[in-house]
Amino acid sequence: MALDLAIIGGTGLYQFPGLEKVERKTVETPFGATSAPVVCGELAGRSVAFLARHGEGHSVPPHRVNYRANIWALHSLGARRVIGVNAVGGIRDDMGPRVVAVPDQLIDYTHGRFTSFCDADGAEVRHIDFSEPYTASLREAVLAAAGRAGVAVVDGGCYGATQGPRLETRAEIARLRRDGCDLVGMTGMPEAALARELELDYACIALIANWAAGCGDEAEISLEEIFANLREATAVVPVLIAALLAA
């Protein structure tokens, strides 16, 4: 079976609205269980798979997500293009709450995660080119879809992937800024690299939920405000994905 698109939903996106002819699939993988069943269906007349990265009840923290199982399952179902939807914090001045961004670069600060399919016993060792972590053609397609749908997005930016589940200190965010990061999130890696290992096209839609520590006017980051911002930003995702599929 071929899929036109697979979507991995992050915090605040646990089901994908508008899917028709829905079928839930529990996929067995060599790497264990996926975060949730894969929900397959049709959207805009195209075949789509959706997987909730943190589980359908947000029960899986970012450092415990089975990224290998998730990516392997989508690939085994026929996915060749994957969109990762990620809730992030904003560092750069134009990346405040409720902004939607399509990053083009990434720095990995995570640790202790299974970062490669090569980690499996007996697996072939592959050295992928990761100089451009997001597939240019898919990024461009997302940006074009946003233009057609009238969805405002920021083109580009560097995503700094941190370990979580705690939020970062002001000093850590200051370091990320010095390193050139524009966004900070907890789930960008190893997801992007694993997709590259399986030769999947992969792009990220980053939903900015809050200013990162020390970047906004707020003295303290409010979880209530984070989720309110996410609800607002997440609302544009189905519109954007439908426009992408229509092309």
Side-chain angles (χ1 to χ4, degrees):
M1 178 183 71
L3 291 169
D4 291 301
L5 187 67
I7 304 155
I8 302 176
T11 300
L13 187 60
Y14 309 115
Q15 293 88 30
F16 201 87
L19 277 183
E20 301 175 340
K21 301 179 182 178
V22 169
E23 181 181 0
R24 294 167 61 86
K25 297 186 178 184
T26 300
V27 183
E28 295 184 3
T29 87
F31 309 99
T34 58
S35 297
V38 181
V39 180
C40 297
E42 290 186 4
L43 183 69
R46 301 298 185 96
S47 58
V48 171
F50 175 80
L51 176 59
R53 186 187 288 115
H54 297 285
E56 293 175 340
H58 200 95
S59 58
V60 186
H63 65 299
R64 298 288 299 274
V65 172
N66 193 340
Y67 296 95
R68 292 190 301 178
N70 290 349
I71 293 294
W72 193 95
L74 294 175
H75 179 267
S76 73
L77 290 172
R80 295 298 176 266
R81 299 193 303 167
V82 178
I83 296 289
V85 182
N86 301 77
V88 300
I91 298 175
R92 205 169 78 192
D93 291 347
D94 61 339
M95 293 191 176
R98 306 190 181 191
V99 169
V100 178
V102 185
D104 61 349
Q105 271 300 328
L106 192 158
I107 300 177
D108 187 8
Y109 299 92
T110 66
H111 53 85
R113 304 182 183 189
F114 288 108
T115 60
S116 170
F117 291 109
C118 301
D119 292 331
D121 291 340
E124 175 191 0
V125 177
R126 299 189 64 195
H127 301 281
I128 58 170
D129 178 5
F130 205 53
S131 54
E132 301 294 335
Y134 303 109
T135 306
S137 59
L138 186 53
R139 279 193 72 256
E140 291 165 4
V142 171
L143 293 168
R148 290 192 300 273
V151 175
V153 298
V154 176
D155 177 4
C158 182
Y159 180 129
T162 58
Q163 182 70 355
R166 67 169 177 83
L167 299 178
E168 300 76 25
T169 68
R170 288 174 180 263
E172 287 169 333
I173 294 299
R175 174 199 175 193
L176 266 64
R177 187 192 289 274
R178 290 193 299 271
D179 286 350
C181 295
D182 304 300
L183 304 161
V184 58
M186 303 173 188
T187 54
M189 282 292 286
E191 192 171 278
L194 292 167
R196 180 64 52 84
E197 285 191 2
L198 293 185
E199 300 180 352
L200 301 177
D201 289 345
Y202 181 89
C204 167
I205 296 175
L207 310 178
I208 301 173
N210 58 281
W211 285 113
C215 295
D217 296 332
E218 299 84 1
E220 186 175 340
I221 297 173
S222 160
L223 290 180
E224 291 78 9
E225 188 173 350
I226 284 176
F227 286 110
N229 291 333
L230 273 180
R231 282 192 296 272
E232 184 79 17
T234 300
V236 308
V237 174
V239 177
L240 181 49
I241 295 297
L244 175 64
L245 290 168

